Amino acid sequence: MAEELQGLLEKIQQDGLQKADAEKKRIIAEAEKAAKALIAKAQKEAEEIKRSAEETSAQLAKRAESAVRQAARDVVLKLSGELKARLDVVLRDNVAAAMTPEFMAGIIGDLVKTFCTDPKKALTDDLTVMVPPAQLKALEGALKSSLVDSFHQTPQLFADSNLGGGLKISFSGKDLYYDFSDTALAEIICSYIGPRLAAIVNAGN
């Protein structure tokens, strides 16, 4: 009887150990499976975070580069504008200085000779000259001293306070008008120099 009981106890113990061992293995397997799943998920999330960070970094770099390029363009445009403005001032001053009464009288004489077949009979009532107030008397004197024989009578000279230098000439009988003012001549020279100046400023950009 004792032997049978002992055998039964051993059998129960063995079955229990087997079940416990199987349960342990199951728990360990499930734990390993769960751990692998967690590791895989963590790796995937890490890769997504890395990819997102790289994309964000690339976007920021692209925006920064674009901002730098735009800032550079703005600086170049501002510099170009300032240079053109200064060039305009310099040109106006030089044109005004170059337009002496004697030089302007020569321009008037050349135009009269060009558009009047007989300058001595020219209808100078139709020839109007606008000059800066400060140069009116000097131009009158220059015309009388150098071109008196070219005109039937002295052209009409008028002071224009809006002129900083140069002159404006009109032949109303021929519908001809010439603007030799400092502003007009400076614009013509600027239109020629401007693109070349811009090319120099923009060189390398």
Side-chain angles (χ1 to χ4, degrees):
M1 185 71 176
E3 291 178 358
E4 292 179 359
L5 182 60
Q6 181 65 33
L8 180 61
L9 290 173
E10 288 177 356
K11 187 175 184 306
I12 292 173
Q13 184 179 8
Q14 187 176 2
D15 290 343
L17 289 172
Q18 289 176 348
K19 288 181 180 180
D21 186 59
E23 183 66 16
K24 181 183 72 171
K25 290 180 179 179
R26 185 185 66 79
I27 293 172
I28 291 173
E30 289 181 354
E32 290 176 347
K33 183 178 179 181
K36 288 180 180 179
L38 287 173
I39 291 171
K41 182 179 179 182
Q43 289 177 338
K44 184 178 180 181
E45 289 178 352
E47 289 175 357
E48 290 178 354
I49 292 171
K50 181 181 178 182
R51 188 183 305 110
S52 177
E54 289 175 348
E55 290 177 355
T56 301
S57 177
Q59 291 175 357
L60 290 174
K62 187 175 181 180
R63 290 176 185 173
E65 182 180 354
S66 177
V68 170
R69 288 182 180 275
Q70 183 61 50
R73 283 193 293 267
D74 292 343
V75 170
V76 169
L77 288 174
K78 185 176 181 181
L79 176 60
S80 179
E82 289 180 358
L83 287 175
K84 287 180 181 178
R86 293 186 183 186
L87 177 63
D88 183 68
V89 172
V90 171
L91 288 174
R92 288 193 188 200
D93 291 343
N94 282 274
V95 168
M99 282 289 186
T100 62
E102 293 75 20
F103 186 71
M104 290 189 289
I107 291 175
I108 294 170
D110 289 340
L111 288 175
V112 169
K113 291 174 184 177
T114 300
F115 295 107
C116 299
T117 55
D118 188 355
K120 292 184 178 180
K121 296 180 180 180
L123 297 177
T124 50
D125 288 339
D126 294 331
L127 174 62
T128 302
V129 181
M130 308 294 292
V131 295
Q135 292 184 313
L136 181 61
K137 290 184 179 180
L139 182 57
E140 287 178 341
L143 286 172
K144 288 178 181 179
S145 64
S146 63
L147 299 170
V148 65
D149 294 334
S150 298
F151 297 100
H152 181 62
Q153 58 184 355
T154 304
Q156 298 181 71
L157 301 181
F158 295 95
D160 186 348
S161 58
N162 293 321
L163 281 176
L167 73 163
K168 296 179 180 180
I169 304 170
S170 63
F171 292 80
S172 59
K174 293 181 177 294
D175 293 325
L176 296 173
Y177 174 79
Y178 291 91
D179 188 348
F180 295 102
S181 65
D182 57 343
T183 300
L185 293 176
E187 287 178 356
I188 292 172
I189 297 172
C190 265
S191 67
Y192 175 79
I193 297 177
R196 291 158 178 78
L197 180 63
I200 294 172
V201 173
N202 287 295
N205 292 323

